[in-house]
């Protein structure tokens, strides 16, 4: 008996020691992506209540549907990521911290009822992890959701979490992802998954390059032929209800949806069905139309009538105050070939070059938007061409060569800039490339010699996934986690740039994305050289054969 | 009444004309990938019986489970690819060809009962499409399956098919895909989907680079510590039953499974648990072991004892007569540092260089395999080092620089060669790259000046997907349809190399892969420039959120 008692005690002691070691090993490595502004660790270890039903999310400030739905999501993320916590809870039954260390819920204090999403939206939050309640406080529900996201990342698979106080806010207000649904169409499921991944990365703008010359999947209720004739097929469409679903899904996650209808270039499919809109190109030898079309015809009233009606609809369908009007890469060859355009320029002596003709077009377009009280983001060419733009205009700097100088010129002129140029993720290469995006510093430019510039006008960063070679088969693993590098550059403080430290966190974060259903691809070689890029829980594909 | 009758007749006439136009438009574009050797078209159009139950597959020659299971699969592929034919059949109710044009089944005549899979397996078939029965004839069930695959690709989504006679056989006997499950592990579901895609591409060898220095997921029953200690985790494993499932799945599709256990280099995880197997490396300054290990120790009997036992197990687990023994990229630094190895070399005056020591190792290893009656594929270094190899050895030519000269040397020495060098699909870049692989001509080399070479010894081609940056999240869209370019180069005749014609077929084939559940990525820019790289039926992702 004595022997048995001694063995039992020894076993209990071993269990106790093991539990402490295990507990620490569960908790020690958990990190947040993108990295918060300030984090302090109390040294305490807490444990989530081991039953999902004994854990609750409570609004202690302003309530909203947005917050309620966020509670639903984070309950799932914390307790049901692929049922792994279910397994973990069995483990927990062996390692239970004392009652003082149990967390039974989260109190979320939203201090205002402002549900708007703009460049000025307050996105800051504070998070205090302790027992029995975690405390999150924020000016807006969107800040509060970022607090929930941070908290969710800190909980180990077994339900342990460090005592942590975090004060956090984004460095840049505008952290965007551009998707292109014209070169290849994307199903709504893929867009939804992408929006979730953006929320996990605290990104807040979906720049939806929805149409282009290749196809026009946006179904306009004013001009139904645009998608009826301009989409690849009548299954490659975004009806108004589809667009509304994307907007709702995004808004619920603090993400603005800014559509781009690029003009006067990058146009063909769909718009070709509108009479007198695209410029007919002429064969320079025969002097006759050659059957092709070029950019919008800037010389006709019908063009501006179309734009007035079309943008009135866009204002109705998309709630954001901003649209992206494009304006990049306008080819002049077709305008040059067209005798009507030549005649128009002769009749307007102040338009002597095609760049001036392009500016003439943009002036009219922006005047229409001004009258409709719509603000605009522009690709940099419109700014470069000296078009008169409204003070709240955001200039999207995309040209790879010399973006630093351009950032200087834009901010020196007093406009907000968004930096896309170094973040074109459609360019791929063998090997690790997230470090390239991560190492960019958006404020690393000198102001022009002719004037000062205000670096606080750097509005943010935007990763672009142009869809030349991307569709639903490969979109998500190609974007994630490479875009996470851009997300942290946009959110975290300027001094967060240690690649070795970031490597550990982004690797951990990739596995969290996989647990949440996002097929984020590996960003490091397998186990060699001390790097471990496998995940404890790997991606679980579902393969549906045609015969089963 | 008369008016109504006239309208009805007119409607019927319009329906008739429409049906002819639609029928032709359904059928005209259907093509086969990889392109068959000879195809003749009768000009007739046939229609599959519009009810799945009125269509049957019948063995008119030798029967086998392999053939029965192929019938199951192709029934699914033809009639149930994502339920699209279901929709199509409703359409068919309006367009019905006359009774003479209805096909009610396929007769498959397998002329031998040889179920072995070797470099000599007869893979030829003939296919004759007509009513009421399609005829397929082949020496082996594997040839017959290729006939079924070709037939399935020619049927339009609406069930129409051209009267076609095809005589077909592969140009090269060995058409391989190398997967690497050591740098990143792949779940069985991904391997199964890959094997299906290989079968659709008429590829017939899975070269399974199953272990490497990074991890050892293969669970050996002789040496259980290999995977217990060497796998990333105890979920990153291939148990014997898993391996058997892969072999069964592959064999059923005419695909050989050739495992690679690379030695003496590319070793660490797992093998480090075997005493006296890996070479201890020494610190050249202190003259003491530095705690790291290098290649297998070629000087110890224990090494060869291990290999004897291990390869006896491999022969038991993997039915193919061949194993791939690796032998690439052996680093000499560790051997150089080790005083025991220096001593051994001094005691063996015929071993004066480390290359000779490497050859000494290979001679012993290959002798073990010879005794076990196992044949081998080797990476080119073993051949390059002049090791005595058996006449049936296959040399895998992988070095990028100068593969043409190497192919000349290998075939001149009388050995079968397999060309991997230009087909490393893990190297990615922006833009269209399938054309690069497609344009390679494996026999485009000159024989060495010191002797003739026999180009019929070019055994085939192998595409490699090294897994430095690839796992289940991105494997399938990264491999397919880029590997299809290699597949057609391996199967089709030498003169099949028109990129414009192939572009149309590979685009059509990509969409067929998607219909069959393989997420094959786009290989061309969206609709611009007359290229259309969308699919009528796009990839349908299933997105599982953690909260639903």
């Amino acid at each position: 008996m004595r022997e048995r008692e001694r063995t039992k005690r020894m076993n209990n002691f071993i269990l106790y020691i093991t539990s402490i070691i295990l507990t620490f090993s569960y908790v020690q490595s958990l990190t947040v992506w993108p990295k918060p502004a300030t984090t302090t660790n109390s040294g305490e270890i807490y444990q989530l209540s081991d039953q999902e039903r004994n854990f609750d999310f409570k609004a202690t400030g302003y309530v909203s549907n947005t917050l309620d739905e966020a509670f639903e999501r984070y309950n799932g993320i914390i307790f049901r990521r692929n049922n792994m916590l279910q397994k973990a809870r069995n483990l927990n039954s062996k390692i239970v911290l004392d009652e003082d260390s149990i967390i039974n819920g989260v109190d979320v204090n939203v201090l205002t009822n402002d549900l708007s999403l703009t460049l000025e939206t307050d996105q800051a939050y504070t998070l205090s992890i302790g027992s029995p309640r975690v405390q999150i406080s924020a000016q807006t529900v969107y800040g509060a959701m970022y607090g929930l996201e941070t908290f969710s990342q800190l909980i180990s698979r077994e339900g342990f979490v460090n005592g942590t106080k975090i004060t956090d806010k984004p460095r840049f207000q505008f952290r965007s992802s551009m998707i292109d649904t014209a070169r290849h169409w994307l199903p709504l499921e893929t867009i939804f998954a992408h929006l979730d991944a953006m929320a996990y990365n605290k990104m807040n703008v979906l720049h939806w390059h929805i149409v282009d010359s290749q196809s026009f999947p946006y179904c306009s209720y004013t001009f139904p032929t645009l998608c009826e004739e301009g989409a690849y097929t009548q299954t490659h469409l975004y009806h108004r209800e589809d667009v509304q679903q994307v907007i709702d899904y995004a808004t619920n996650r603090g993400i603005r949806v800014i559509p781009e209808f690029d003009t006067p270039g990058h146009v063909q499919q769909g718009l070709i069905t509108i009479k007198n809109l695209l410029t007919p190109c002429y064969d320079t030898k025969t002097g006759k139309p050659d059957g092709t079309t070029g950019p919008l015809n800037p010389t006709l009233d019908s063009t501006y009538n179309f734009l007035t009606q079309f943008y009135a609809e866009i204002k109705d369908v998309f709630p954001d105050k901003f649209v992206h009007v494009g304006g990049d890469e306008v080819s002049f060859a077709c305008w040059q070939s067209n005798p009507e355009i030549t005649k128009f320029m002769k009749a307007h002596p102040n338009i002597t070059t095609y760049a001036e003709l392009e500016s003439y077009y943009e002036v009219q377009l922006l005047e229409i938007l001004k009258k409709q009280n719509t603000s605009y983001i522009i690709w940099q060419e419109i700014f470069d061409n000296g078009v008169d733009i409204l003070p709240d205009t955001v200039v999207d700097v995309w040209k790879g060569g010399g973006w630093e100088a351009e950032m200087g010129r834009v901010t020196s002129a007093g406009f907000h800039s968004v930096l896309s140029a170094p973040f074109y993720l459609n360019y791929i290469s063998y090997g690790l490339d997230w470090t390239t995006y991560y190492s960019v510093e958006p404020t690393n430019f000198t102001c022009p010699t002719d004037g000062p510039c205000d670096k606080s006008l750097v509005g943010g960063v935007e990763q672009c996934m142009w869809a030349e070679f991307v569709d639903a088969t490969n979109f998500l693993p190609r974007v994630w986690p490479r875009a996470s590098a851009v997300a942290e550059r946009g959110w975290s403080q300027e001094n967060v740039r240690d690649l070795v430290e970031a490597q550990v966190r982004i690797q951990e974060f990739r596995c969290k994305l996989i647990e949440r259903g996002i097929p984020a691809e590996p960003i490091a070689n397998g186990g060699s050289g001390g790097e471990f890029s496998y995940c404890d829980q790997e991606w679980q594909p579902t393969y549906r054969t045609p015969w089963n």
Side-chain angles (χ1 to χ4, degrees), chain A:
Chain A
M1 285 300 269
R2 258 192 155 175
E3 185 59 22
R4 192 183 289 176
E5 184 62 20
R6 194 181 297 151
T7 306
K8 198 178 156 193
R9 275 189 195 171
M10 185 53 95
N11 282 348
N12 278 349
F13 180 71
I14 290 169
L15 197 65
Y16 174 71
I17 293 294
T18 309
S19 79
I20 288 177
I21 293 168
L22 282 174
T23 306
F24 275 89
S25 71
Y26 290 150
V27 177
Q28 65 192 3
S29 70
L30 285 171
T31 61
V32 181
W33 189 281
K35 194 171 190 170
T38 64
T39 303
T40 53
N41 199 312
S42 72
E44 301 287 321
I45 294 172
Y46 298 96
Q47 187 173 21
L48 265 57
S49 178
D50 69 344
Q51 297 287 336
E52 192 178 336
R53 64 179 181 279
N54 286 340
F55 191 97
D56 71 327
F57 294 83
K58 197 161 80 186
T60 58
Y62 280 95
V63 296
S64 59
N65 281 339
T66 308
L67 189 58
D68 284 346
E69 293 190 21
F71 287 167
E72 286 275 323
R73 289 200 304 279
Y74 283 98
N75 189 58
I77 287 168
I78 292 169
F79 289 100
R80 285 201 300 268
R81 29 179 171 167
N82 294 332
N83 289 323
M84 278 182 300
L85 266 182
Q86 196 65 41
K87 254 197 275 176
R89 259 177 256 139
N90 298 335
L91 185 62
N92 284 354
S93 65
K94 291 183 198 148
I95 308 166
V96 180
L97 302 185
D98 66 50
E99 201 54 40
D100 289 352
S101 301
I102 302 295
I103 295 176
N104 62 31
V106 185
D107 291 336
V108 177
N109 188 9
V110 176
L111 300 165
T112 71
N113 62 356
D114 183 2
L115 286 168
S116 66
L117 277 170
T118 70
L119 203 56
E120 286 75 40
T121 296
D122 191 319
Q123 301 167 52
Y125 68 92
T126 61
L127 165 68
S128 174
I129 299 175
S131 71
R133 305 290 292 177
V134 170
Q135 304 292 336
I136 290 172
S137 176
Q139 287 295 317
T140 67
V141 66
Y142 305 114
M145 288 198 286
Y146 291 146
L148 289 167
E149 174 57 36
T150 296
F151 174 56
S152 75
Q153 291 189 23
L154 286 167
I155 302 159
S156 80
R157 196 173 288 124
E158 294 75 16
F160 295 103
V161 58
N162 276 321
T164 312
K165 281 190 199 305
I166 285 176
T167 307
D168 199 11
K169 64 176 182 182
R171 180 174 174 214
F172 298 113
Q173 286 290 92
F174 191 103
R175 301 172 307 282
S176 172
S177 169
M178 193 217 74
I179 62 172
D180 166 8
T181 55
R183 288 172 179 82
H184 286 97
W185 181 84
L186 290 175
L188 291 188
E189 287 73 14
T190 300
I191 297 176
F192 294 157
H194 182 56
L195 288 166
D196 279 319
M198 286 177 65
Y200 303 148
N201 281 273
K202 299 190 173 78
M203 295 179 83
N204 67 342
V205 179
L206 182 73
H207 168 182
W208 192 354
H209 188 90
I210 191 166
V211 299
D212 206 302
S213 57
Q214 289 87 352
S215 76
F216 204 105
Y218 173 76
C219 289
S220 161
Y221 59 75
T222 317
F223 302 99
T225 57
L226 291 176
C227 77
E228 285 167 10
E229 308 270 326
Y232 284 133
T233 75
Q234 293 306 295
T235 62
H236 295 80
L237 300 174
Y238 301 109
H239 291 290
R240 183 170 185 175
E241 314 84 80
D242 301 326
V243 170
Q244 191 58 48
Q245 277 194 64
V246 171
I247 292 168
D248 291 346
Y249 205 95
T251 309
N252 260 334
R253 285 149 184 81
I255 298 169
R256 302 164 65 187
V257 177
I258 299 181
E260 175 184 356
F261 293 91
D262 199 353
T263 62
H266 283 278
V267 293
Q268 186 185 22
Q269 294 301 324
L271 294 172
I272 206 172
T273 65
I274 308 294
K275 216 177 152 186
N276 294 328
L277 183 61
L278 303 189
T279 306
C281 312
Y282 280 65
D283 186 316
T284 45
K285 281 179 196 160
T286 65
K288 289 184 175 160
D290 67 4
T292 68
T293 56
L296 263 58
N297 190 331
T299 70
L300 301 178
D301 288 347
S302 54
T303 297
Y304 303 106
N305 289 339
F306 168 81
L307 291 168
T308 303
Q309 288 179 268
F310 185 76
Y311 273 107
E313 169 179 331
I314 297 313
K315 192 176 182 64
D316 177 36
V317 172
F318 292 88
D320 204 279
K321 192 168 189 305
F322 280 74
V323 292
H324 198 305
V325 296
D328 60 321
E329 300 184 312
V330 181
S331 158
F332 296 148
C334 184
W335 282 350
Q336 278 174 321
S337 77
N338 183 302
E340 297 296 319
I341 294 207
T342 308
K343 212 163 92 184
F344 178 86
M345 286 171 73
K346 278 188 186 145
H348 293 73
N350 57 334
I351 305 176
T352 57
T353 67
Y354 292 96
E356 283 168 5
L357 183 63
E358 181 184 343
S359 292
Y360 171 83
Y361 168 84
E362 297 294 356
V363 168
Q364 315 299 313
L365 169 62
L366 300 186
E367 190 59 30
I368 289 167
L369 292 171
K370 186 180 168 188
K371 279 185 191 150
Q372 295 180 347
N373 195 26
T374 297
S375 302
Y376 36 83
I377 303 184
I378 56 179
W379 292 118
Q380 68 181 73
E381 282 96 325
I382 297 177
F383 168 81
D384 294 347
N385 290 341
V387 174
D388 196 24
I389 51 181
L390 285 173
D392 71 349
T393 302
V394 176
V395 182
D396 201 339
V397 175
W398 72 274
K399 288 193 176 182
W403 64 258
E404 294 91 345
E406 179 76 0
M407 293 288 279
R409 284 189 293 269
V410 170
T411 52
S412 171
F415 296 104
H416 275 113
S417 64
V418 163
L419 183 61
S420 304
F423 305 124
Y424 270 37
L425 302 195
N426 48 307
Y427 294 122
I428 54 170
S429 59
Y430 176 77
L432 181 150
D433 65 359
W434 68 272
T435 49
T436 309
Y437 310 121
Y438 194 80
S439 301
V440 171
E441 173 44 51
T443 64
N444 191 15
F445 56 84
T446 51
C447 298
T449 48
D450 58 347
C453 61
D454 178 359
K455 292 197 176 176
S456 77
L457 287 172
V458 177
V461 292
E462 167 168 288
Q463 72 81 10
C464 297
M465 181 50 76
W466 296 98
E468 284 90 348
F469 299 96
V470 172
D471 69 5
T473 60
N474 60 353
F475 175 87
L476 290 169
R478 186 157 294 183
V479 172
W480 304 108
R482 294 162 74 223
S484 299
V486 185
E488 177 150 304
R489 185 54 49 234
W491 179 277
S492 302
Q493 298 304 298
E494 185 175 352
N495 63 1
V496 178
R497 37 196 343 115
D498 179 339
L499 287 172
V500 176
E501 189 263 2
Q503 165 79 29
V504 176
R505 279 187 299 112
I506 199 170
Q507 167 56 23
E508 182 185 315
F509 183 58
R510 171 177 101 92
C511 296
K512 287 175 184 159
L513 291 177
I514 285 176
E515 289 174 10
R516 296 173 185 206
I518 310 295
E521 70 177 16
I523 38 83
N525 194 342
S528 72
E531 292 171 5
F532 292 98
S533 79
Y534 66 86
C535 296
D536 284 342
Q537 170 79 41
E538 297 286 4
W539 181 250
Q540 296 175 325
T542 49
Y543 176 41
R544 292 170 299 182
T545 68
W547 52 86
N548 276 337

